[in-house]
Amino acid sequence: MEAEASWINHCLDNIVKTGGNFDSFSEISDDSSKETAAVSVDLILSDDLLERILSYLPIASIFRAASVCKRWNEIVTSERFLWHFSNISSQKPWYFMFTGSDEPIGYAYDPILRKWYSIEIPEIRSSNWFVASSCGLICFMDNDCRSELYVCNPITRKWRQLEEPSGLKFSDYSTLAISVNRISRCYSVAIVKSKQVPGNFFQWDLSIHIYESATMMWATSLNEVLTGWRGGDESVICDGLLYFLIYSTGGGTQEDCHGLLTYDLSGQSSHGSLMKTFIPVPCPLTCGRLMNLKEKLVMVGGIGKPDRHDIIKGIGIWVLKGNVWLEIARMPQRLFQGFGEFDDVFASRGTDDLIYIQSYGAPSLLLFDMNQKQWKWSLKCPVTKRFPLQLFTGFCFEPRLEVAP
């Protein structure tokens, strides 16, 4: 199967402002010898009505509509249309899958039309970069120096680079999270850095750095030393709280390999020791993936075997209510086996009511609808595995036109 040709190259900034004429409609006549008048759709539909019709198109079709003619282009690029489109649009989150271990190339999956699109994301240079998303924006950070930071709308391809946060320059582990205010369009970026205390494997320096787009400034909100625990690479912002997973450095039981900490970004609550916010995971996990689904914290986790907690036997989905994890679903065994060889760790991202799960070892993509409690495979990604160690990963994002970094 071939992917649909890349439509992102026709993004709103690059669409030609002039276009062709509409096809005309001819009146039906009994007398073929009589001339019939051609009526243009432009003359039938007012701007308001045409704008309303176009606003119900899938987002990929908006780009094609913009290249039809000058009038349509002016409508779909107007601030009024973008506002109207964002308020009535019922777009589902897309999933971008990197199809190369080194090159940042891949395809984006539209679950409504069940199509894959070839998309180029500007500035990102490797598939192993940290990526987080919120309300149409993605934030990504390099995995080497962890000093290059960008915020981008992957649909319009508008982007900006953020300054490097001050404080700890190098870290052993880092997490990245972003949260966009849907009313003001301002956003916050949070980085949690963790570095081993020299000569002491059980103690780890942990720092939280927050960027606010309204002020365009970074602030180091917290510095603390954890004993017996370290930070990792998994975090998310949900309802004003920063959640991140921590990992045991030894000294406990196998059941205590993972834990969850929270940090209030508003600064309204007094912050004592971070460990006072500790929430245990619901069961022994091989890995955990955190996501914000309508301001509810959801975790997708690999469930370890009873005798070997580091070997995956299945996948579960939980929602955090207060300090208690409520199990929502477990992946049916037939679907779990459908991935073939499944690693103990895997990729999973979600937003709105949709969760994506992907094995690192294959381009298979499974969807779970939180509302309908249904599992479904995506249409097959138009890529084949070229060599045994080829890795696949990805992230999901909301396709939106009106949000800019």
Side-chain angles (χ1 to χ4, degrees):
M1 185 200 77
E2 294 184 358
E4 184 161 326
S6 175
W7 53 270
I8 199 64
N9 294 328
H10 304 287
C11 63
L12 299 179
D13 290 338
N14 300 323
I15 293 176
V16 179
K17 293 294 182 181
T18 59
N21 296 324
F22 285 99
D23 291 335
S24 59
F25 293 92
S26 298
E27 295 180 1
I28 299 175
S29 173
D30 293 334
D31 189 350
S32 60
S33 64
K34 293 181 180 180
E35 293 184 359
T36 57
V39 181
S40 171
V41 174
D42 269 347
L43 299 178
I44 298 175
L45 301 178
S46 65
D47 284 352
D48 288 347
L49 185 55
L50 182 57
E51 176 184 291
R52 191 162 187 83
I53 292 172
L54 293 176
S55 65
Y56 284 95
L57 289 174
I59 199 165
S61 301
I62 296 295
F63 289 89
R64 300 190 187 95
S67 61
V68 168
C69 67
K70 182 178 180 180
R71 182 191 178 204
W72 285 30
N73 181 279
E74 290 176 348
I75 288 176
V76 301
T77 56
S78 68
E79 290 293 332
R80 174 174 145 172
F81 175 83
L82 295 180
W83 181 89
H84 191 62
F85 180 80
S86 67
N87 280 274
I88 70 170
S89 174
S90 59
Q91 309 288 334
K92 292 286 187 180
W94 289 13
Y95 188 86
F96 181 87
M97 183 184 295
F98 290 106
T99 56
S101 299
D102 299 318
E103 299 177 345
I105 57 176
Y107 298 92
Y109 181 69
D110 178 352
I112 294 181
L113 298 181
R114 303 195 76 233
K115 287 184 177 181
W116 289 92
Y117 301 105
S118 176
I119 288 185
E120 296 178 7
I121 300 178
E123 296 308 308
I124 191 168
R125 291 187 289 279
S126 176
S127 61
N128 71 347
W129 281 31
F130 297 91
V131 183
S133 70
S134 174
C135 189
L137 295 182
I138 63 172
C139 182
F140 42 94
M141 176 176 69
D142 73 294
N143 197 21
D144 296 324
C145 298
R146 301 174 188 178
S147 58
E148 289 189 66
L149 278 150
Y150 299 87
V151 177
C152 168
N153 183 325
I155 297 296
T156 64
R157 302 188 74 229
K158 293 180 179 179
W159 61 273
R160 63 178 293 192
Q161 185 173 6
L162 304 185
E163 293 183 2
E164 180 184 359
S166 59
L168 184 64
K169 293 291 183 182
F170 300 100
S171 60
D172 296 309
Y173 297 93
S174 296
T175 74
L176 178 67
I178 182 174
S179 177
V180 179
N181 186 306
R182 294 179 182 270
I183 299 176
S184 68
R185 305 292 190 230
C186 295
Y187 56 87
S188 304
V189 176
I191 299 176
V192 182
K193 296 187 176 184
S194 185
K195 184 174 179 61
Q196 182 184 349
V197 174
N200 189 335
F201 181 74
F202 293 100
Q203 288 191 322
W204 291 72
D205 283 316
L206 187 140
S207 59
I208 298 176
H209 310 265
I210 309 295
Y211 175 86
E212 299 291 349
S213 66
T215 60
M216 294 190 294
M217 295 180 61
W218 285 95
T220 300
S221 301
L222 181 140
N223 282 287
E224 188 170 322
V225 176
L226 302 184
T227 300
W229 297 90
R230 64 164 177 81
D233 57 3
E234 195 67 29
S235 67
V236 70
I237 299 172
C238 184
D239 197 24
L241 296 176
L242 172 64
Y243 295 90
F244 56 97
L245 289 178
I246 57 173
Y247 305 82
S248 173
T249 57
T253 64
Q254 280 191 316
E255 287 81 358
D256 300 326
C257 289
H258 297 77
L260 182 74
L261 296 182
T262 66
Y263 180 81
D264 188 350
L265 296 178
S266 69
Q268 295 179 357
S269 61
S270 58
H271 293 289
S273 171
L274 270 178
M275 293 305 296
K276 291 181 179 180
T277 69
F278 180 87
I279 299 173
V281 295
C283 65
L285 300 177
T286 62
C287 70
R289 304 294 179 229
L290 304 177
M291 55 201 74
N292 179 344
L293 271 61
K294 294 185 174 179
E295 300 307 321
K296 294 181 180 179
L297 179 66
V298 174
M299 180 172 67
V300 179
I303 303 171
K305 290 184 175 181
D307 55 338
R308 288 288 305 276
H309 295 157
D310 57 338
I311 298 178
I312 192 169
K313 72 166 187 177
I315 292 178
I317 300 174
W318 297 268
V319 172
L320 185 66
K321 188 172 184 179
N323 291 334
V324 179
W325 292 102
L326 302 179
E327 184 171 319
I328 301 300
R330 289 203 182 194
M331 184 186 295
Q333 199 63 25
R334 59 181 176 81
L335 297 177
F336 180 73
Q337 294 171 348
F339 279 102
E341 183 179 349
F342 205 94
D343 292 331
D344 298 322
V345 294
F346 53 88
S348 181
R349 287 292 178 258
T351 191
D352 195 26
D353 288 314
L354 204 57
I355 294 175
Y356 292 94
I357 300 175
Q358 177 195 355
S359 168
Y360 286 137
S364 303
L365 184 63
L366 186 64
L367 290 71
F368 179 74
D369 189 305
M370 289 282 285
N371 276 339
Q372 301 177 5
K373 302 293 187 292
Q374 289 183 347
W375 301 87
K376 183 186 298 184
W377 291 105
S378 74
L379 200 66
K380 189 173 188 246
C381 183
V383 68
T384 56
K385 191 168 183 175
R386 300 188 303 271
F387 50 90
L389 296 181
Q390 183 177 357
L391 298 179
F392 301 89
T393 186
F395 59 90
C396 82
F397 64 93
E398 298 177 50
R400 303 182 75 94
L401 296 172
E402 81 284 4
V403 183

